[in-house]
């Protein structure tokens, strides 16, 4: 699960403290706090316009903070200009210098640091070897494929051994196959370097593959920070629950019974542990693999306390599992994934859905779904 | 395959005629420069090199030529530096003020030359700039800046400013970034701006006629006064020399430019 660094030197911690960014009266970033541990691989995940790039730009020093403070390795950096922050950045659009060869591009940060020629050549060679581009040193960026260009950008961003490496959707412009290859390379490089990595993406799978922890952004705020597992199994907000993985949502008027809350779904009481975290409409979020599909009349016989009637709208054979799309009487769609061994149901069949109350997550519908 | 194609023939003829029409006035000058008599008749009645000799030996002619050359070099340097900085500033401002400043800088190109000349002359009279190096360089720079602003501006419009952000992240300060990233990438615009500035100054005649003095004359002024006084074929010799030089310069530029262009 963890992608712990094996490198000798550790990266620096990034401490974002109550940071806001305003453009006129538009709030791009709203009081965000986040600590990235030294050597950690942190992903920023969120929909378009949620403030991921803005946060990255604040760390890199490309934009000024409106409010708050950012510390890099415990040192405040608000007054340090971008070129003195010693942070490597990889851009989605590569940003290679078109008038320089690959070797010159990679040597650029070393020149700025006054590294002597012999040492520079050695480091450039090493960095290019890390991304498997030794043979391309004398080409110009326009003579490389997109994947190769992004590898050069990666080599250039890490050749000066920055304690922090920021990447803004570095693989966004590449096809899926190439993305997967480069994801593995980025993981390996992270282990070898031991620097702190911050990686922006809107692809949740990519975030899960790469990161130690993920910060989920929405509308200029961080909704939740945690490991992929924590976000999936214990989402704190409806937005996070829906953004990570597949889910179904049950809505209905709620009633609190001690440590449990029950929702009235078209007359059927459905319960989930916990009491509402905040005011407003309550929903129960279900993961497909937690929901069983059974013949009508089975009831709670299998230890699954929540039972509700439905009709199969779609039954899809996935090899290792069956995926059912079921409509409840009130029209709510529920997705269930069950092992193939069990009884199979056809489209239009009346069935029962059942799950353990503790597998449902009680969340408040804060209206965060449905964009700005 | 090699069938007669009337369409192609007509096309070829049209192209040839237009080319002739464009080139004829320039080409005609060349035989006239070898005339043996002091007349600008075409075709000339005999052959001689005396008008070329006159150009190089007559101080009136040769001094005006070197004056023009020096002024044009100074103008292209000054106008390129100012124009480039202005173009960058305008590009970075990205506001309405920037548009206004740009318009202001480009006005000398659209204001009728005579109007500008009268204005410049009036100011120069009170400031004692008539017939001075400073006077020529200032006036020509004014006229040349629009070309630089336009050429560099066009280049900046396609320059990816994000490269400067990348340079900053790699440890380069603003000045280093300018010299190692921005400048090399907008060099084509700067070079063509400089060339335009040079040419603008070198063949500027209207303003120069106003601010000229017998002691300090530019070549176009000398040509103009020679033409109005008598039909001196030295004019044709000068024209032919300029024709030859510009053809060489542009030819070399094309060869050099395409070779460089293939690389990047
Ligand atoms: N220079 C700017 N001026 C005004 N608004 C801006 C500026 N830069 C960003 N914004 C706004 O700030 C918000 C956050 O933008 P940001 O680039 O951080 O989003 P993002 O999460 O990176 O999105 P994407 O996934 O599309 O890259 C957006 O609504 C955007 O329109
Ligand atoms: Mg972005």
């Amino acid at each position: 699960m963890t992608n712990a660094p094996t490198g000798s030197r550790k990266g620096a911690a990034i401490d974002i403290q109550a940071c806001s960014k305003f453009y006129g009266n538009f709030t791009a970033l709203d009081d965000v706090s986040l600590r990235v541990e030294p050597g950690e691989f942190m992903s920023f995940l969120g929909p378009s316009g949620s403030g991921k790039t803005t946060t990255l730009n604040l760390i890199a020093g490309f934009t000024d903070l409106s409010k708050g403070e950012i510390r890099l390795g415990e040192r405040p950096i608000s007054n340090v200009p971008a070129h003195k922050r010693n942070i490597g950045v990889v851009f989605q659009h590569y940003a290679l210098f078109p008038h320089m060869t690959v070797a010159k591009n990679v040597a650029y940060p070393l020149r700025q640091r006054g590294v002597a020629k012999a040492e520079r050549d050695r480091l450039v060679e090493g960095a290019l070897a890390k991304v498997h581009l030794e043979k391309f040193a004398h080409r110009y960026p326009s003579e490389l494929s997109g994947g190769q260009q992004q590898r050069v950008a990666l080599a250039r961003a890490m050749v000066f051994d920055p304690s922090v490496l920021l990447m803004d959707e570095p693989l966004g412009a590449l096809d899926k196959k190439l993305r997967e290859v480069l994801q593995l390379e980025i993981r390996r490089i992270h282990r070898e370097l031991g620097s702190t990595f911050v990686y922006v993406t809107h692809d949740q799978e990519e975030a899960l593959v790469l990161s130690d922890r993920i910060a989920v952004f929405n509308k200029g705020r961080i909704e939740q920070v945690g490991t992929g597992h924590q976000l999936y199994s214990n989402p704190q907000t409806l937005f996070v629950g829906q953004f990570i993985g597949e889910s179904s949502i049950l809505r209905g008027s709620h009633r609190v019974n001690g440590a449990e809350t029950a929702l009235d779904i078209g007359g059927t009481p459905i319960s989930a542990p916990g009491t509402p975290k905040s005011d407003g409409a309550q929903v129960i979020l279900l993961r497909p693999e937690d929901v069983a599909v059974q013949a009508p009349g089975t009831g709670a016989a299998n230890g699954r306390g929540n039972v509700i009637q439905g009709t199969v709208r779609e039954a899809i054979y996935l090899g290792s599992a069956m995926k059912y799309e079921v409509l409840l009487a009130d029209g709510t769609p529920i997705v269930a994934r069950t092992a193939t061994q069990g009884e199979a149901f056809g489209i239009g069949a009346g069935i029962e859905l059942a799950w353990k109350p503790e597998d449902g997550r009680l969340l408040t519908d804060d209206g965060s779904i449905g964009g700005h | 395959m090699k069938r007669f194609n009337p369409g192609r023939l007509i096309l070829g003829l049209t192209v040839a005629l237009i080319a002739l029409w464009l080139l004829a006035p320039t080409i005609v000058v060349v035989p006239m420069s070898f005339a043996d008599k002091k007349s600008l008749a075409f075709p000339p009645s005999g052959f001689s090199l005396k008008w070329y000799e006159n150009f190089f030996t007559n101080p009136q002619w040769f001094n005006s030529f070197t004056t023009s050359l020096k002024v044009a070099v100074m103008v292209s340097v000054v106008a390129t530096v100012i124009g480039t900085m202005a173009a960058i500033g305008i590009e970075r401002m990205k506001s309405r003020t920037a548009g206004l400043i740009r318009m202001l800088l480009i006005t000398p190109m659209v204001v009728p030359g005579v109007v500008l000349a009268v204005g410049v002359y009036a100011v120069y009279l009170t400031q004692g700039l008539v017939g001075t190096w400073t006077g020529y360089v200032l006036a020509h720079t004014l006229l040349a800046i629009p070309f630089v602003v336009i050429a560099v501006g066009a280049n900046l419009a396609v320059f990816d400013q994000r490269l400067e952000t990348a340079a900053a992240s790699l440890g380069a300060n603003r000045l280093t970034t300018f010299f190692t990233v921005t400048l090399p990438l907008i060099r084509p615009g700067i070079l063509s701006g400089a060339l335009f500035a040079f040419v603008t100054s070198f063949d500027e005649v209207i303003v120069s006629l106003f601010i000229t003095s017998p002691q300090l004359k530019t070549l176009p002024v000398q040509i103009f006064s020679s033409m109005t006084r008598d039909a001196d074929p030295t004019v044709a010799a000068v024209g032919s020399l300029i024709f030859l030089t510009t053809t060489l310069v542009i030819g070399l530029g094309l060869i050099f430019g395409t070779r460089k262009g293939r690389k990047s």
Side-chain angles (χ1 to χ4, degrees):
Chain A
M1 182 73 225
T2 50
N3 200 1
T6 55
S8 50
R9 205 187 29 78
K10 275 225 168 191
I14 307 166
D15 223 337
I16 300 171
Q17 299 170 342
C19 286
S20 295
K21 175 68 190 177
F22 310 117
Y23 289 109
N25 51 19
F26 176 76
T27 307
L29 212 61
D30 186 9
D31 194 26
V32 160
S33 294
L34 174 70
R35 185 179 158 87
V36 186
E37 298 300 333
E40 189 176 24
F41 197 123
M42 168 76 80
S43 284
F44 290 176
L45 180 64
S48 191
S50 55
K52 308 180 296 288
T53 299
T54 304
T55 310
L56 214 66
N57 286 346
L58 291 175
I59 300 172
F62 301 151
T63 30
D64 294 325
L65 265 174
S66 304
K67 232 162 69 188
E69 186 173 74
I70 296 180
R71 287 167 178 270
L72 188 68
E74 319 310 334
R75 197 166 61 103
I77 52 169
S78 301
N79 293 320
V80 182
H83 71 272
K84 289 197 178 138
R85 292 197 182 184
N86 208 37
I87 291 177
V89 184
V90 180
F91 303 86
Q92 176 173 5
H93 48 89
Y94 317 139
L96 296 177
F97 304 129
H99 58 300
M100 299 182 195
T101 60
V102 165
K104 286 250 168 62
N105 262 283
V106 178
Y108 190 87
L110 300 173
R111 275 177 190 275
Q112 305 315 317
R113 287 164 177 77
V115 177
K117 172 110 176 61
E119 174 73 352
R120 211 163 63 209
D121 289 348
R122 194 182 63 78
L123 288 171
V124 168
E125 209 172 305
L128 286 178
K130 269 208 178 72
V131 295
H132 311 303
L133 280 180
E134 306 95 314
K135 295 204 181 68
F136 297 84
H138 299 294
R139 291 229 195 147
Y140 281 86
S142 59
E143 300 164 338
L144 299 176
S145 72
Q148 289 165 340
Q149 290 187 43
Q150 197 54 294
R151 284 201 173 102
V152 176
L154 195 59
R156 187 179 67 174
M158 68 188 189
V159 70
F160 57 99
D161 225 4
S163 52
V164 169
L165 205 67
L166 308 177
M167 296 187 242
D168 194 350
E169 304 193 35
L171 311 182
L174 306 175
D175 65 62
K176 191 163 162 56
K177 193 106 190 276
L178 194 54
R179 266 206 321 263
E180 281 165 6
V181 173
L182 285 178
Q183 278 167 13
L184 293 180
E185 287 196 17
I186 288 172
R187 258 177 80 104
R188 174 179 55 81
I189 287 167
H190 174 243
R191 270 197 307 272
E192 286 172 12
L193 289 182
S195 312
T196 308
F197 275 39
V198 178
Y199 190 98
V200 170
T201 177
H202 30 304
D203 179 351
Q204 55 151 312
E205 220 172 289
E206 187 163 281
L208 291 171
V209 167
L210 290 171
S211 343
D212 295 324
R213 285 193 303 156
I214 300 170
V216 181
F217 279 71
N218 185 32
K219 293 182 183 173
R221 293 174 156 275
I222 292 182
E223 296 257 338
Q224 192 175 348
V225 185
T227 62
H229 180 251
Q230 284 167 350
L231 295 177
Y232 185 80
S233 61
N234 194 17
Q236 296 302 303
T237 66
L238 181 55
F239 178 84
V240 173
Q242 290 215 304
F243 201 77
I244 311 273
E246 225 178 336
S247 59
S248 310
I249 307 290
L250 289 168
R251 295 168 200 272
S253 56
H254 71 278
R255 198 160 39 81
V256 180
N257 306 322
E260 231 183 41
T261 305
L263 253 54
D264 175 14
I265 311 291
T268 312
I270 295 293
S271 62
T275 52
K277 285 196 204 70
S278 45
D279 293 342
Q282 299 299 308
V283 302
I284 291 176
L285 181 133
L286 292 171
R287 296 296 182 192
E289 63 274 18
D290 293 333
V291 182
V293 180
Q294 56 193 28
T298 314
N302 298 325
R304 301 193 176 93
N306 284 326
V307 179
I308 194 162
Q309 312 298 314
T311 314
V312 176
R313 183 171 66 178
E314 198 72 79
I316 301 158
Y317 177 73
L318 294 175
S320 58
M322 277 303 283
K323 181 173 157 181
Y324 290 102
E325 258 180 63
V326 176
L327 280 188
L328 302 186
D330 64 355
T332 307
I334 305 286
V335 179
R337 199 162 48 231
T338 63
T340 346
Q341 297 88 294
E343 193 181 345
F345 302 94
I347 294 172
I351 48 92
E352 262 178 23
L353 295 175
W355 65 93
K356 296 178 186 148
E358 62 268 31
D359 284 337
R361 251 75 50 176
L362 182 74
L363 297 167
T364 304
D365 186 358
D366 50 10
S368 61
I369 308 296
H372 279 235
Chain B
M1 283 304 280
K2 276 213 161 181
R3 283 232 320 271
F4 175 71
N5 185 338
R8 285 199 73 83
L9 184 73
I10 292 170
L11 182 68
L13 275 175
T14 317
V15 169
L17 273 174
I18 292 176
L20 188 70
W21 180 49
L22 289 173
L23 282 174
T26 319
I27 305 280
V28 156
V29 166
V30 179
M32 288 198 303
S33 68
F34 296 107
D36 58 344
K37 293 205 193 73
K38 186 162 183 170
S39 104
L40 280 171
F42 182 82
S45 54
F47 178 86
S48 86
L49 284 174
K50 58 183 166 198
W51 309 114
Y52 285 92
E53 192 192 328
N54 185 41
F55 172 68
F56 286 106
T57 52
N58 182 338
Q60 281 252 330
W61 278 105
F62 199 69
N63 287 349
S64 68
F65 170 69
T66 53
T67 303
S68 268
L69 211 57
K70 284 181 202 159
V71 169
V73 167
M74 286 190 276
V75 166
S76 71
V77 170
V78 177
T80 304
V81 171
I82 296 177
T84 301
M85 294 198 300
I88 292 173
I90 290 167
E91 175 75 17
R92 298 294 138 94
M93 276 172 77
K94 293 243 190 263
S95 69
R96 191 170 300 162
T97 334
L100 280 176
I101 294 174
R102 191 183 139 85
M103 262 173 53
L104 208 70
L105 280 168
I106 290 179
T107 27
M109 216 163 87
V110 287
V111 171
V114 194
V115 176
L116 208 77
V118 172
V120 168
Y121 183 60
V123 175
Y124 277 21
L125 270 184
T126 62
Q127 301 302 315
L129 284 167
V130 172
T132 61
W133 289 100
T134 324
Y136 279 118
V137 173
L138 279 180
H140 288 184
T141 300
L142 182 77
L143 291 164
I145 282 178
F147 292 98
V148 181
V149 169
I150 289 172
V152 177
N155 207 156
L156 277 171
V158 297
F159 168 72
D160 184 358
Q161 220 179 307
R162 296 176 301 190
L163 293 177
E164 293 181 344
T165 313
S169 80
L170 297 169
N173 62 31
R174 296 287 278 268
L175 200 66
T176 314
T177 302
F178 177 75
F179 283 111
T180 55
V181 176
T182 319
L183 192 63
L185 289 173
I186 61 169
R187 187 172 290 147
I190 294 179
L191 286 181
S192 66
L195 200 68
F196 274 123
F198 183 90
V199 172
T200 302
S201 165
F202 195 74
D203 72 10
E204 204 292 319
V205 63
I206 306 173
V207 176
S208 302
L209 272 176
F210 276 74
I211 62 173
T212 190
S213 75
Q215 289 75 39
L216 200 62
K217 253 190 222 173
T218 59
L219 189 57
V221 172
Q222 171 63 23
I223 292 174
F224 190 81
S225 45
S226 154
M227 285 298 290
T228 46
R229 246 193 347 263
D230 46 25
D232 183 352
T234 311
V235 170
V238 174
S240 304
L241 284 173
I242 292 175
F243 176 52
L244 183 73
T245 322
T246 44
T247 309
L248 277 179
V249 167
I250 291 171
L252 286 176
L254 280 179
I255 293 168
F256 182 71
T258 42
R259 204 179 278 158
K260 195 101 195 267
R262 207 166 296 149
K263 243 213 168 138
S264 58

